[in-house]
Amino acid sequence: MSDLPSAAELEEITGSAAPAAADIALGECLLSEAIERPLPSEARLSLAAALAAAGFRRIGLTSLRDPARFPLFADAELLLRGVPRHPGLAFQVPCPDLMAVRRALVAQDGGWGPDEVLLPIAATDAASQALFGEDRAARWASLAAMAEQAGGRFALCGSIAAAFAEGAEPAGVLADAERLAEFGIGRIAIADDEGLATPPRVRDLIGWLHGGLPTASFIARFSDRRGTAIANTLAAIEAGLTEADAALGGAGGFCCAEDLAAALAAMGLGTGLDPAALRKAGLAAEQVLGHALYSRVLRLEDGA
């Protein structure tokens, strides 16, 4: 029997998903930032339903990157049209450029736009060139135009990539966060793309951010490239953060959602996630992706 919900079950599953109380809110990024090859649209919608049923309240549904360059997101509009919407469930899409924001606005005008758009920046020139093909000065000009276009139409979330890369200092990351706040972006992800962070550096940076910009909400977003994502995420939470981004099975190098949820539960912190439904979503993701994911909790429950 398939672990994926059928098309007929999609509406029922997402419709019955009710927000649960959570000490730490986990955002899920599998479909928007962690997949590496095109997937059938029906499978993506089913996975979105499984994530909603697991209790995730913020789900990255797709990306509005240029479909000519990133064909794995060519069905972005179809997904935005097709996914059921319910109170307390927010679908986020990354918008890396002005074209992406304009596509989000067209979708919004049609009544099926994203609930939140993610606008990224990088903490160093090297990372900015690698990620966006422009230096930081040009990137800030691009982001200003993107924020102005989006103005008031969506919830805005910023992301500061390479926050722990060589050349990135706490004072500089704080200055970037303050600049994002000036654009009306009050929720900001602190991203460690290369897995260079350590718990002491994380605690130090969160202290800078909370001290300098107490009105903003910060999100922990740590790579597991060096096996430190959970340790760094927990350090951020101990420093006062109440949101973190993750992906089922650690897909795409993200922090593993299942293992992070288990670690938080062991600390007495709730995520609002249903363990059984989270396991079902992980198995569904493995089925769709065609390979096992990196989740110690899932393998433990398999008896491995």
Side-chain angles (χ1 to χ4, degrees):
M1 180 180 294
S2 171
D3 285 300
L4 288 173
S6 68
E9 295 171 318
L10 225 166
E11 177 69 30
E12 179 182 352
I13 291 173
T14 54
S16 62
D23 300 302
I24 307 299
L26 298 186
E28 214 290 333
C29 303
L30 172 67
L31 295 171
S32 59
E33 298 180 73
I35 61 172
E36 298 175 350
R37 63 177 179 83
L39 299 174
S41 303
E42 295 80 3
R44 294 198 201 201
L45 288 171
S46 292
L47 280 177
L51 292 169
F56 289 102
R57 308 319 310 164
R58 177 169 52 85
I59 298 170
L61 179 64
T62 184
S63 174
L64 289 173
R65 292 182 175 189
D66 181 358
R69 296 177 55 210
F70 299 93
L72 70 167
F73 296 118
D75 62 351
E77 278 81 2
L78 186 153
L79 298 178
L80 285 167
R81 284 179 182 269
V83 71
R85 309 301 179 95
H86 300 283
L89 178 59
F91 290 106
Q92 182 195 77
V93 297
C95 287
D97 52 40
L98 194 56
M99 177 192 295
V101 173
R102 287 171 176 160
R103 289 174 66 195
L105 287 168
V106 170
Q108 193 80 337
D109 289 340
W112 40 273
D115 301 295
E116 180 176 86
V117 298
L118 179 71
L119 304 181
I121 198 77
T124 69
D125 270 325
S128 187
Q129 289 284 3
L131 292 171
F132 313 118
E134 54 189 0
D135 63 22
R136 273 172 50 83
R139 183 60 188 169
W140 275 113
S142 297
L143 192 134
M146 292 158 62
E148 182 178 5
Q149 280 275 306
R153 299 288 300 279
F154 315 95
L156 299 181
C157 181
S159 174
I160 304 175
F164 296 89
E166 182 178 355
E169 298 294 336
V173 176
L174 172 58
D176 286 349
E178 290 172 333
R179 195 166 181 182
L180 288 171
E182 290 173 1
F183 293 148
I185 302 172
R187 297 180 62 256
I188 303 167
I190 304 302
D192 174 35
D193 315 76
E194 299 297 320
L196 297 172
T198 63
R201 292 185 68 195
V202 170
R203 287 188 286 266
D204 182 50
L205 178 56
I206 299 306
W208 273 80
L209 295 172
H210 279 167
L213 195 58
T215 57
S217 297
F218 295 100
I219 303 164
R221 175 178 274 230
F222 292 104
S223 166
D224 204 37
R225 290 188 64 180
R226 290 171 171 80
T228 56
I230 288 182
N232 287 326
T233 302
L234 295 180
I237 289 167
E238 289 171 345
L241 267 60
T242 58
E243 285 193 70
D245 282 342
L248 290 179
F254 276 86
C255 188
C256 176
E258 299 96 320
D259 293 359
L260 177 58
L264 290 169
M267 296 169 63
L269 296 172
T271 59
L273 300 177
D274 179 324
L278 184 60
R279 171 178 169 76
K280 185 174 182 180
L283 293 173
E286 290 187 332
Q287 180 180 337
V288 168
L289 296 175
H291 61 80
L293 292 174
Y294 181 73
S295 168
R296 289 181 174 88
V297 170
L298 193 59
R299 298 286 77 82
L300 179 65
E301 294 183 358
D302 282 343

